[in-house]
Amino acid sequence: MEIVRDQELLDWRGATLCCFCEARPPVHGKSCVVSLSKVTDGEGGRLRTLESTVLVPRCAECRAGHMRVMTIGLTVALLGAVAAFLVFVVWKPIDMPGWAMGTLVFLGLAPGCVMIGGAFGLPAGQKPERDAESFSSVMEMKRGGWQIKGSTPKQPGQ
């Protein structure tokens, strides 16, 4: 637990306000985690991928808002997938191959997945969780060649 607190203090670099509401002080243990990666040259001409995280300062109220958004998004995704399953697989209003039914059930997840990380359900004045990417420590790492994990990595020298 002490290690996490030390990393928060390093990443926060003296930030005294929550990054998402800019009104309340951040709470240790409620930080938003941003995962980053960087491709570098390794031994023998191989590529090596480094991974790191930045803990973005967040207050308890903003964490609760972000958790509410995640819950709403997951609920909508689950309901969409179940509804698509019931219509296209159980009820079968039209005859279609299994891959098409599977695709439509998968597409039922899309509305909820789009909502996750967004602003739907947040109180006025609170930024969505994806805005953590604009925090100063994250921006500094991005200037050093790091990328948000999940994006297409750049090759060394590009």
Side-chain angles (χ1 to χ4, degrees):
M1 189 65 173
E2 196 63 35
I3 294 171
V4 172
R5 186 178 174 89
D6 291 345
Q7 183 182 351
E8 282 179 330
L9 293 173
L10 270 173
D11 290 345
W12 292 3
R13 293 206 178 130
T16 57
L17 294 176
C18 168
C19 180
F20 301 98
C21 66
E22 298 174 347
R24 293 177 289 274
V27 176
H28 291 286
K30 304 292 182 188
S31 296
C32 176
V33 179
V34 177
S35 298
L36 300 123
S37 64
K38 180 179 182 178
V39 177
T40 63
D41 294 324
E43 295 178 21
R46 295 185 183 144
L47 296 178
R48 180 174 58 160
T49 303
L50 304 174
E51 296 184 1
S52 185
T53 58
V54 173
L55 300 176
V56 178
R58 177 169 60 180
C59 65
E61 290 86 353
C62 286
R63 182 175 187 280
H66 292 151
M67 293 303 290
R68 186 172 41 259
V69 166
M70 179 70 74
T71 302
I72 291 169
L74 290 174
T75 302
V76 170
L78 181 63
L79 289 175
V82 168
F85 177 80
L86 290 174
V87 170
F88 297 111
V89 178
V90 176
W91 183 40
K92 293 185 185 179
I94 56 174
D95 192 32
M96 64 178 73
W99 66 267
M101 286 188 270
T103 301
L104 291 171
V105 170
F106 181 73
L107 289 175
L109 294 168
C113 292
V114 169
M115 294 172 71
I116 295 172
F120 181 79
L122 290 178
Q126 183 178 337
K127 298 177 193 170
E129 205 167 20
R130 66 176 172 254
D131 281 13
E133 295 177 13
S134 63
F135 182 62
S136 60
S137 295
V138 175
M139 295 301 292
E140 186 176 321
M141 288 190 74
K142 286 172 78 174
R143 282 190 292 276
W146 291 83
Q147 293 186 322
I148 304 298
K149 213 167 173 186
S151 60
T152 306
K154 292 181 182 175
Q155 301 299 319
Q158 289 184 348

